[in-house]
Amino acid sequence: MRPELQSAPETFYDEHEAQSYKKQSRIKKIQSEMTNRAMELLNLPEEESLLILDIGCGTGLSGEVVSERGHCWIGMDISPSMLKLAAEDSNVEGDLCLHDMGQGLPWRVGAFDAAISISAIQWLCNADKKSHDPRKRLNTFFSTLYACLRKGARAVFQFYPQDSQQTNLIANSALKNGFSGGVVVDYPNSTKARKFYLVIFAGVPDAKPPPALEDETVRVRYQASNVEREHFRARNSGDGKKKKKASFRSKEWIIQKKERARKKGKEVRPDSKYTGRKRSGGSDKV
């Protein structure tokens, strides 16, 4: 049975379930693939480091992808157990907030350049408490999301609808609250690969969502492009020359990542001559 049909998210993702979620390599792989696709649909400029809101961030798996692409992020989730694991993970660089998205978003107007959400928004379609009205909670969520995004920003939500009625409920709630856009369905003819993404625009009238991925050939090509995108251009340096980011998982990349963690007050192992050296199994030492 689907998790959202069993209990409320803060109840379902208790300490045991959160630990299991974080440890499963299959979940990590799927979350990484879906987050990379969501980031592709956001279509952010590569030369800028932007502030992104991660809604339903969980243990920080999606946030790690955002950080690897050179952006800053703030994550919110309703599960204390999931956020506890995220806070304890030195690879998680974003700031974290315990909050129920159905109660509205608490940030100031125009605070974020973009927003993503992986496998979370379908929870708003359930009435986990007597006081919960799915339509009202969706309207509250989208109206406050619209307010805290800058004009022209995109938001991408990967979600698992129970049926077409639920898909329409979510999409129509977004459009009713000022957004334009729609639902992108990747691999619509595949029961295993099919994925739903709500792609919406704030303050861009009549904007249309980008095209979906439609066959396995495109899927393989898309996955290959993700592997190739190991680093992205940073902002222009003071002398006018464009400065390239360190290659993904290179020694320089690892040192930079550890330095950012130190600035956030996190406990990080000291650098050594072994930092960034390949292990015999192929992973990197930090």
Side-chain angles (χ1 to χ4, degrees):
M1 184 185 294
R2 295 157 59 112
E4 61 267 24
L5 300 180
Q6 296 184 45
S7 60
E10 64 272 30
T11 304
F12 181 83
Y13 287 109
D14 57 12
E15 187 174 347
H16 171 75
E17 193 64 35
Q19 287 281 1
S20 174
Y21 182 93
K22 186 172 179 61
K23 288 179 180 178
Q24 290 187 44
S25 58
R26 178 177 172 274
I27 287 179
K28 289 182 179 180
K29 180 177 181 295
I30 293 172
Q31 287 289 99
S32 177
E33 288 178 356
M34 293 190 300
T35 306
N36 273 304
R37 174 59 172 151
M39 293 298 292
E40 181 182 81
L41 291 167
L42 279 180
N43 193 31
L44 300 175
E46 293 184 1
E47 68 275 7
E48 295 184 46
S49 178
L50 303 176
L51 180 60
I52 298 175
L53 176 62
D54 185 357
I55 302 161
C57 65
T59 60
L61 295 176
S62 50
E64 288 183 38
V65 175
V66 175
S67 295
E68 287 168 2
R69 286 174 172 257
H71 301 292
C72 301
W73 58 279
I74 294 175
M76 59 174 285
D77 203 280
I78 197 173
S79 167
S81 298
M82 297 283 265
L83 289 178
K84 182 174 182 290
L85 292 179
E88 293 171 350
D89 189 341
S90 61
N91 290 320
V92 175
E93 299 178 7
D95 294 323
L96 305 170
C97 172
L98 178 65
H99 190 70
D100 174 10
M101 58 181 165
Q103 294 182 352
L105 306 185
W107 288 280
R108 62 177 174 79
V109 173
F112 296 97
D113 299 302
I116 64 166
S117 180
I118 307 298
S119 310
I121 197 173
Q122 69 269 7
W123 290 86
L124 287 178
C125 296
N126 298 328
D128 297 314
K129 300 177 181 177
K130 288 184 178 179
S131 60
H132 284 184
D133 181 325
R135 291 183 183 276
K136 288 183 179 179
R137 283 169 60 78
L138 281 164
N139 284 331
T140 299
F141 168 71
F142 281 115
S143 64
T144 52
L145 174 65
Y146 189 94
C148 72
L149 290 174
R150 65 168 176 79
K151 186 176 181 180
R154 289 190 189 192
V156 176
F157 300 83
Q158 180 278 322
F159 66 107
Y160 291 107
Q162 188 174 346
D163 49 37
S164 60
Q165 287 184 329
Q166 201 171 87
T167 302
N168 292 333
L169 174 62
I170 292 171
N172 289 337
S173 296
L175 300 180
K176 179 181 176 181
N177 285 282
F179 288 100
S180 57
V183 176
V184 173
V185 184
D186 284 349
Y187 321 119
N189 298 318
S190 170
T191 54
K192 287 187 176 181
R194 183 168 56 231
K195 293 290 184 295
F196 289 78
Y197 296 87
L198 176 66
V199 183
I200 50 179
F201 304 77
V204 184
D206 302 320
K208 303 299 181 184
L213 305 181
E214 294 186 357
D215 57 47
E216 293 301 310
T217 303
V218 177
R219 185 184 189 195
V220 171
R221 188 163 66 243
Y222 159 67
Q223 290 176 338
S225 70
N226 282 339
V227 174
E228 292 169 3
R229 296 186 64 176
E230 292 184 344
H231 63 272
F232 298 83
R233 289 177 295 172
R235 290 182 176 178
N236 291 351
S237 58
D239 57 4
K241 295 180 180 178
K242 287 190 175 179
K243 183 180 176 184
K244 286 192 175 181
K245 288 181 180 286
S247 296
F248 180 52
R249 293 207 177 280
S250 65
K251 181 175 182 178
E252 184 182 357
W253 182 89
I254 292 171
I255 291 174
Q256 289 175 358
K257 185 170 184 177
K258 291 169 72 174
E259 186 58 35
R260 290 196 297 270
R262 291 190 185 100
K263 288 180 180 178
K264 290 177 175 288
K266 295 183 178 181
E267 212 172 300
V268 181
R269 283 184 287 181
D271 299 334
S272 71
K273 64 180 181 179
Y274 300 107
T275 298
R277 181 177 293 184
K278 294 286 185 181
R279 296 180 187 268
S280 57
S283 59
D284 300 314
K285 290 190 175 184
V286 295

